[in-house]
C-alpha cells in the first residue's frame, strides 16, 4: 500500500514539473546562422526574417505533382515564437512556395538542450537524422 501511495504521489508531482530545457526562447537564442549535418542552412534575423537553403520541408509544402522531385527548399520567409504543444520551445517559419497550391508553407522547429542553445531541429525531421547547429563564426 505504501508503495502505491509513493508511486501515485510521484506521478502527480512529476506531471506538473517542468522538463529541463523548456524555458521560453528569446531572440538571442534564435538569431544567427544554423547549419545541419545534411547541408541545410537557416539564417534567423532579429527582425523576424528568415532565409534558408537546402532544408527539408513537409510533403504538404510541395505541389502534389512534385512531391517526390523536390524534397528540400530554399527561399526567404519570416519566423515568430510558437511552441507546438508537448514540444520543446520553438518557432514557426512561414514562407511563400511560389506555387498556387499550396501558396505558403509553415514549418515548426524546436531548440534542444539548455541555454545557451546549440542545437535545433525542424519537426518534420523529428530531430533524428538532421540536427542544426549554430554556426559560431557567422553568429
Amino acid at each position: 500500500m505504501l508503495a502505491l501511495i509513493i508511486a501515485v504521489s510521484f506521478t502527480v508531482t512529476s506531471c506538473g514539473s517542468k522538463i529541463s530545457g523548456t524555458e521560453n526562447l528569446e531572440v538571442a537564442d534564435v538569431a544567427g546562422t544554423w547549419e545541419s549535418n545534411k547541408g541545410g542552412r537557416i539564417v534567423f534575423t532579429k527582425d523576424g526574417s528568415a532565409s534558408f537553403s537546402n532544408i527539408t520541408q513537409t510533403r504538404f509544402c510541395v505541389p502534389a505533382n512534385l512531391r517526390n522531385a523536390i524534397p528540400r527548399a530554399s527561399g526567404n520567409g519570416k519566423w515568430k515564437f510558437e511552441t507546438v504543444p508537448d514540444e520543446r520551445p520553438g518557432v514557426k517559419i512561414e514562407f511563400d512556395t511560389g506555387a498556387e497550391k499550396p501558396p505558403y508553407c509553415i514549418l515548426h522547429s524546436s531548440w534542444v538542450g539548455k541555454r545557451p542553445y546549440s542545437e535545433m531541429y525542424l519537426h518534420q525531421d523529428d530531430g533524428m537524422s538532421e540536427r542544426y547547429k549554430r554556426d559560431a563564426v557567422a553568429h
Side-chain angles (χ1 to χ4, degrees):
M1 184 65 162
L2 180 59
L4 178 62
I5 292 171
I6 291 171
V8 169
S9 72
F10 176 75
T11 303
V12 170
T13 57
S14 63
C15 287
S17 58
K18 216 173 176 187
I19 299 170
S20 175
T22 60
E23 63 270 3
N24 289 331
L25 286 174
E26 297 177 5
V27 172
D29 296 323
V30 176
T33 302
W34 296 81
E35 295 181 339
S36 81
N37 57 328
K38 293 191 176 181
R41 184 172 199 244
I42 305 173
V43 179
F44 295 102
T45 62
K46 292 179 182 178
D47 69 358
S49 297
S51 60
F52 49 90
S53 60
N54 198 34
I55 66 169
T56 59
Q57 54 188 335
T58 68
R59 59 185 299 263
F60 303 109
C61 291
V62 180
N65 62 332
L66 298 174
R67 287 195 177 137
N68 292 327
I70 307 175
R72 298 180 78 85
S74 296
N76 297 300
K78 56 188 175 179
W79 69 270
K80 69 178 188 175
F81 295 110
E82 184 174 297
T83 300
V84 175
D86 294 334
E87 292 288 342
R88 292 183 167 275
V91 303
K92 175 172 86 170
I93 304 164
E94 187 171 343
F95 61 93
D96 292 331
T97 63
E100 184 176 322
K101 282 188 168 184
Y104 65 92
C105 182
I106 295 175
L107 304 176
H108 287 91
S109 61
S110 290
W111 271 248
V112 295
K114 294 182 181 181
R115 257 192 197 106
Y117 294 107
S118 61
E119 289 191 18
M120 57 83 71
Y121 67 91
L122 298 173
H123 283 215
Q124 66 274 12
D125 294 331
D126 220 6
M128 297 302 213
S129 63
E130 190 162 5
R131 289 257 181 152
Y132 287 77
K133 292 185 181 250
R134 185 184 293 272
D135 182 342
V137 176
H139 182 64

